[in-house]
Amino acid sequence: MTLTLGTAQVNESDGQRTITVTGEFNGDAMGSPKTVTVSVGASGDGATADDYTASGGFTFQIAGDQTSGSGTFTITPTDDDIAEGNESVTVSGSVTGLTVSPATLTIVDDDTRGLFPSPRTVAVPEDGTETYTLVLESKPTAPVTVTAVRTGDSDITVTGGALLTFTPDDWYVPKTVTLRAADDADATDGTATVTHSTSGGDYGANKRHRDRHGNGAGRRRGRRRRRRRRRRRRRRRRDAFDEGDAEPESGRGGRK
């Protein structure tokens, strides 16, 4: 017998889903009713008990003159903020006297590791400062250190926030990086690039993100968010902004 699923995958943010399981004999009808016992989840699955809840094992019958039958179960993926990749759930079955080939349900992750600067481009006045903020785009498994390094015009320097730490508790709270532009004698605008590298937790080491900054016109350019943020994350960030931070918008670094 082979098991198949009416739905091969569910999204992490779907909420409760009902999945149909069909068992089909690899041949003729058996002549007498057969009971199929189904279980959801197995040791060695990519998804663990923290990643979903399911309605548990169940049975369905296949009539003696039929070659297939179906039953259903419900599954609710855990809508977390951790970038853990897609994960599999084994749906297996047993029938007395028969070998049953299992089916696999995939939980599709909707989180991506990354840094979210706002804005990505800033204008820094000569003999003045300007700031931008950073947040992580997913919840880390351990503290993450973000290091900012400036390249380009040496008149532009990172004077605050060159080393930031985000934890699993505050990864979504904006932290500030401050840039300063020296008052030089020339009339030419300068440009610098700030590269951010991350290390720690599931963010690994030496992952880099670039932003450009410069002195001159006070223009800021933004772009739309790379992906729709889930309601819970928006709510968390909104709580943080109420404490005095400006809501981030995506974009690249700026010209000074």
Side-chain angles (χ1 to χ4, degrees):
M1 172 181 285
T2 299
L3 295 184
T4 57
L5 303 178
T7 300
Q9 65 182 36
V10 295
N11 295 319
E12 184 179 273
S13 59
D14 279 353
Q16 182 173 290
R17 295 285 302 274
T18 299
I19 308 298
T20 299
V21 183
T22 298
E24 184 170 4
F25 296 128
N26 301 323
D28 297 332
M30 302 299 290
S32 61
K34 293 295 181 181
T35 298
V36 183
T37 301
V38 178
S39 59
V40 179
S43 60
D45 281 353
T48 68
D50 293 332
D51 296 312
Y52 67 93
T53 56
S55 55
F58 65 98
T59 62
F60 63 87
Q61 282 201 331
I62 301 178
D65 60 348
Q66 299 295 311
T67 59
S68 66
S70 299
T72 62
F73 70 95
T74 60
I75 187 169
T76 305
T78 301
D79 188 11
D80 59 26
D81 297 304
I82 302 172
E84 52 201 345
N86 296 346
E87 297 173 311
S88 62
V89 179
T90 299
V91 180
S92 54
S94 63
V95 178
T96 301
L98 296 178
T99 298
V100 181
S101 299
T104 300
L105 178 69
T106 300
I107 298 176
V108 179
D109 190 24
D110 59 1
D111 300 291
T112 304
R113 298 181 191 91
L115 284 173
F116 191 84
S118 175
R120 293 179 66 102
T121 300
V122 300
V124 186
E126 286 196 349
D127 198 27
T129 61
E130 185 56 276
T131 63
Y132 61 95
T133 61
L134 292 172
V135 295
L136 300 185
E137 291 196 332
S138 66
K139 181 179 180 179
T141 57
V144 173
T145 299
V146 179
T147 304
V149 177
R150 186 270 310 152
T151 58
D153 191 339
S154 60
D155 287 339
I156 302 171
T157 55
V158 180
T159 59
L163 193 67
L164 300 173
T165 299
F166 293 90
T167 72
D169 294 325
D170 70 358
W171 60 275
Y172 55 87
V173 178
K175 297 183 186 295
T176 301
V177 179
T178 302
L179 304 177
R180 181 174 181 80
D183 187 5
D184 56 24
D186 63 64
T188 303
D189 288 352
T191 301
T193 297
V194 178
T195 300
H196 303 93
S197 61
T198 60
S199 62
D202 57 336
Y203 272 69
N206 299 323
K207 293 185 178 179
R208 296 187 174 183
H209 312 262
R210 281 188 175 179
D211 304 286
R212 292 179 182 170
H213 309 279
N215 61 351
R219 181 177 61 176
R220 298 184 177 183
R221 294 175 297 178
R223 64 179 177 80
R224 291 184 178 179
R225 294 183 184 275
R226 276 174 267 179
R227 59 191 176 88
R228 179 177 59 87
R229 304 216 172 255
R230 294 186 303 280
R231 185 176 296 109
R232 181 173 58 193
R233 190 178 302 175
R234 290 200 303 267
R235 190 162 55 241
R236 284 178 172 174
R237 287 187 178 173
R238 198 159 53 236
D239 292 342
F241 305 146
D242 288 344
E243 297 172 6
D245 294 308
E247 179 173 4
E249 300 176 38
S250 56
R252 270 200 97 106
R255 282 175 37 180
K256 154 192 147 192

